[in-house]
Amino acid sequence: MQGALAQRGQGLRPAGRSGRGQRQVPRAAVARRNRISRSQVVVSASAVASQAKGVVGHNGSASAAAELRDANATLEMSRTVLGIILGGGAGSRLYPLTKNRAKPAVPLGANYRLIDIPVSNCVNSNVTKIYTLTQFNSASLNRHLSQAYNGTVGSYNSRGFVEVLAASQSPMRKEWFQGTADAVRQYMWLFEEAVRDGVEDFLILSGDHLYRMDYREFVRKHRESGAAITIAALPCNEKNASAFGLMKIDEEGRVTEFAEKPKGDALKAMAVDTTVLGVDPATAKEKPYIASMGIYVTKASALKEMLEVHMPEANDFGNEIIPGARKMGYKIQAHAFQGYWEDIGTIEAFYNANLALANPLKNDFSFYDKDAPIYTMSRFLPPSKVVDSEIHNAIIGDGCVIKSGSSIRNSVIGLRTLVQEGATIEDTLILGADYYETKEECSFVPGCMPIGIGRNSTVRKALLDKNVRIGDNVQIVNKEGLKEANREDEGFIIKDGIVVIVKNALIKSGTVI
């Protein structure tokens, strides 16, 4: 009973639900797995084929046979695919949000963290063996993953886990991670243990992308093609193509050429017929280029050869390993992804992607998908309370208090945020707070300034990190119209015209920024 209660307390959930009756993460994923009995799991492929042949013209039996094949494929994903999420380096493009946390641990969409996106995609695709590789400030990331997923991913007959692998030194190797490929190389000894347990393919993901993807189709196409590496490819138009690394393919979808952010004639030369990858003709005409998304499926044996035998000094997947593998004759295949995808590894991209979640005209990504939910840690916070205030196009996270006379427009308000009377918040992303603060605790802060937004303060086009204390009558409006400014000693910086208030900063009453 104690074990059951402990597991219940640490379950995952789609954010926005808390307390009794909430939807626990793995139950959504595991339920799909467990619909098929153990006897069905061991049905051989030949038996399934025989059953399928005998049910022509019998819709019910045909449907059952198809469901059985799908279920077996789903179970195969759990056993034969290992998820490897690359946490990235120091996250300098997202600084100061990465000052005290790893990039995948940066809060997202009021209730989540960046790491929840690839992990949830894995869980929904029945990939339940997941490692996250990181090198910097991994404490909060490790805490989040252990509390959110490890108690519930997997089942009695399916060993699942979500673990952080931090860079470390050993007697054999003194260096830290030198790049994405080197990070995988340094932990290949551990990944080989998974291979001995039946893993055939590595699913390599990034920790700073916003998208929803069913990896089962991705892996299936990879295996059908017989490729050593399959790259997720995003069709794009000429205007956007020059910002990406592009690929050229042949009539079978095999990658024949790479070009990093080409322009002019070099860009036009990278146009391809994307109908080869299953893109409809209208979209193919509009978007004749395919960009690498930095998402790969690789044969485990082939990747080990590349990293340890053929290219032991290469450190980066996109610039070294994959182009090098193509030149050596390895088959590199492209797989078209036609959904929403955004690299949110910069302050501007991160800010825009978050605010788009609250904008009904720009909301290409939604957390409100019951078939493929995004999971996060259960916090059991109370519902948010709004008192006599105006709110337009906003997302309010769990446990917030919006006091009377406040106005919130085009903004995302994170967990536990306190907005005092008469505050105005526009085009702003607030990451929230890590804890509630009592008056007694607040008394230890000079002037007893509580965490949150003070009375009659105005915050416009800003990004507020966690636990910030904004006094009364403060104006955060970028009065001087600066594009860039580093005033971290004063509690803020400006990037791309966005005022970023650093974590735990105190902005005194009456301040104008």
Side-chain angles (χ1 to χ4, degrees):
M1 176 62 74
Q2 290 178 344
L5 290 174
Q7 188 175 31
R8 184 191 223 176
Q10 294 187 11
L12 309 155
R13 67 183 178 90
R17 298 187 185 181
S18 58
R20 298 179 62 183
Q22 72 178 5
R23 183 180 179 185
Q24 299 291 331
V25 168
R27 293 180 186 174
V30 173
R32 289 193 291 270
R33 238 186 358 247
N34 292 342
R35 288 179 191 145
I36 308 304
S37 67
R38 181 171 296 189
S39 62
Q40 288 173 312
V41 170
V42 299
V43 173
S44 67
S46 60
V48 172
S50 298
Q51 182 181 357
K53 288 179 181 178
V55 296
V56 177
H58 195 298
N59 292 338
S61 298
S63 176
E67 184 176 344
L68 181 57
R69 285 194 297 270
D70 291 343
N72 283 334
T74 297
L75 289 164
E76 280 292 297
M77 288 286 288
S78 178
R79 186 179 66 84
T80 63
V81 178
L82 176 69
I84 302 173
I85 302 172
L86 303 175
S92 57
R93 297 188 304 161
L94 269 178
Y95 189 89
L97 303 184
T98 52
K99 181 178 180 180
N100 297 305
R101 59 170 77 91
K103 183 163 55 174
V106 171
L108 170 74
N111 279 4
Y112 306 86
R113 292 180 184 260
L114 287 178
I115 191 65
D116 292 325
I117 300 300
V119 172
S120 295
N121 284 335
C122 284
V123 172
N124 292 331
S125 303
N126 211 48
V127 177
T128 57
K129 300 174 182 177
I130 308 164
Y131 286 115
T132 299
L133 276 59
T134 186
Q135 183 157 274
F136 297 92
N137 300 323
S138 60
S140 62
L141 176 63
N142 198 11
R143 182 169 59 249
H144 176 77
L145 291 177
S146 62
Q147 292 177 356
Y149 299 96
N150 273 343
T152 45
V153 172
S155 65
Y156 290 111
N157 60 356
S158 175
R159 290 180 292 175
F161 55 83
V162 183
E163 295 182 7
V164 173
L165 300 178
S168 60
Q169 294 179 322
S170 69
M172 299 296 295
R173 185 147 188 155
K174 302 295 184 182
E175 301 88 2
W176 301 107
F177 295 158
Q178 301 300 304
T180 54
D182 185 61
V184 174
R185 180 189 293 112
Q186 289 198 34
Y187 273 105
M188 186 59 74
W189 62 271
L190 180 61
F191 303 152
E192 284 184 307
E193 293 182 7
V195 172
R196 287 193 290 271
D197 287 339
V199 165
E200 300 171 7
D201 297 292
F202 296 153
L203 176 63
I204 300 177
L205 310 169
S206 176
D208 59 356
H209 295 166
L210 182 61
Y211 66 108
R212 182 181 275 106
M213 184 176 184
D214 188 341
Y215 299 134
R216 288 171 292 192
E217 178 69 8
F218 188 23
V219 172
R220 184 179 69 82
K221 291 287 189 180
H222 165 74
R223 291 176 174 174
E224 287 178 354
S225 71
I229 301 175
T230 299
I231 305 171
L234 185 73
C236 53
N237 56 32
E238 185 172 342
K239 179 181 177 181
N240 298 324
S242 60
F244 297 100
L246 302 182
M247 299 176 288
K248 206 163 186 180
I249 55 174
D250 63 16
E251 64 279 1
E252 295 181 350
R254 182 168 181 167
V255 178
T256 59
E257 187 179 342
F258 294 95
E260 185 65 23
K261 299 180 180 179
K263 300 186 187 304
D265 292 340
L267 172 61
K268 294 183 183 300
M270 295 302 293
V272 297
D273 178 12
T274 54
T275 59
V276 170
L277 302 177
V279 179
D280 65 88
T283 302
K285 184 177 180 180
E286 178 188 354
K287 300 178 178 180
Y289 302 92
I290 51 173
S292 171
M293 296 167 57
I295 299 172
Y296 318 108
V297 181
T298 74
K299 285 184 179 178
S301 57
L303 186 62
K304 179 178 171 61
E305 287 179 357
M306 295 175 201
L307 294 179
E308 298 185 349
V309 178
H310 301 308
M311 293 174 277
E313 302 300 322
N315 295 322
D316 186 79
F317 276 112
N319 294 325
E320 297 176 276
I321 295 296
I322 294 177
R326 185 192 66 80
K327 292 177 181 178
M328 290 179 186
Y330 284 99
K331 184 176 183 180
I332 313 296
Q333 193 77 9
H335 172 75
F337 173 72
Q338 300 186 66
Y340 171 85
W341 174 87
E342 188 72 40
D343 181 346
I344 50 179
T346 67
I347 288 292
E348 183 178 28
F350 178 76
Y351 168 85
N352 288 333
N354 272 273
L355 293 197
L357 297 171
N359 188 332
L361 300 179
K362 298 181 180 179
N363 191 3
D364 295 316
F365 181 89
S366 174
F367 287 104
Y368 305 94
D369 187 333
K370 63 182 179 62
D371 295 322
I374 303 300
Y375 305 112
T376 192
M377 182 172 65
S378 297
R379 299 178 180 89
F380 304 104
L381 291 172
S384 291
K385 180 166 66 174
V386 180
V387 181
D388 192 21
S389 298
E390 291 187 10
I391 299 179
H392 301 269
N393 294 344
I395 293 176
I396 311 295
D398 293 347
C400 297
V401 177
I402 315 297
K403 294 193 174 182
S404 62
S406 296
S407 173
I408 299 175
R409 293 177 179 271
N410 306 319
S411 298
V412 176
I413 312 299
L415 299 161
R416 305 184 187 89
T417 296
L418 170 63
V419 179
Q420 299 283 9
E421 293 88 346
T424 298
I425 301 171
E426 297 178 0
D427 302 320
T428 291
L429 169 60
I430 301 176
L431 302 189
D434 289 318
Y435 53 89
Y436 286 118
E437 191 172 56
T438 65
K439 290 184 178 180
E440 291 75 15
E441 293 169 328
C442 181
S443 64
F444 290 101
V445 179
C448 192
M449 187 184 297
I451 293 176
I453 313 301
R455 293 176 180 84
N456 301 314
S457 290
T458 298
V459 184
R460 186 176 295 116
K461 197 177 180 183
L463 196 169
L464 279 56
D465 205 341
K466 282 194 168 184
N467 308 331
V468 300
R469 302 169 189 271
I470 309 299
D472 298 338
N473 301 301
V474 169
Q475 292 189 50
I476 302 175
V477 295
N478 193 5
K479 183 180 179 181
E480 300 176 20
L482 302 176
K483 292 293 290 182
E484 305 287 334
N486 187 355
R487 299 180 184 175
E488 193 171 345
D489 56 336
E490 300 176 38
F492 71 95
I493 68 171
I494 299 176
K495 277 191 173 183
D496 299 309
I498 302 164
V499 179
V500 184
I501 308 298
V502 302
K503 187 175 182 180
N504 300 316
L506 188 156
I507 307 298
K508 295 180 180 180
S509 296
T511 300
V512 177
I513 297 177

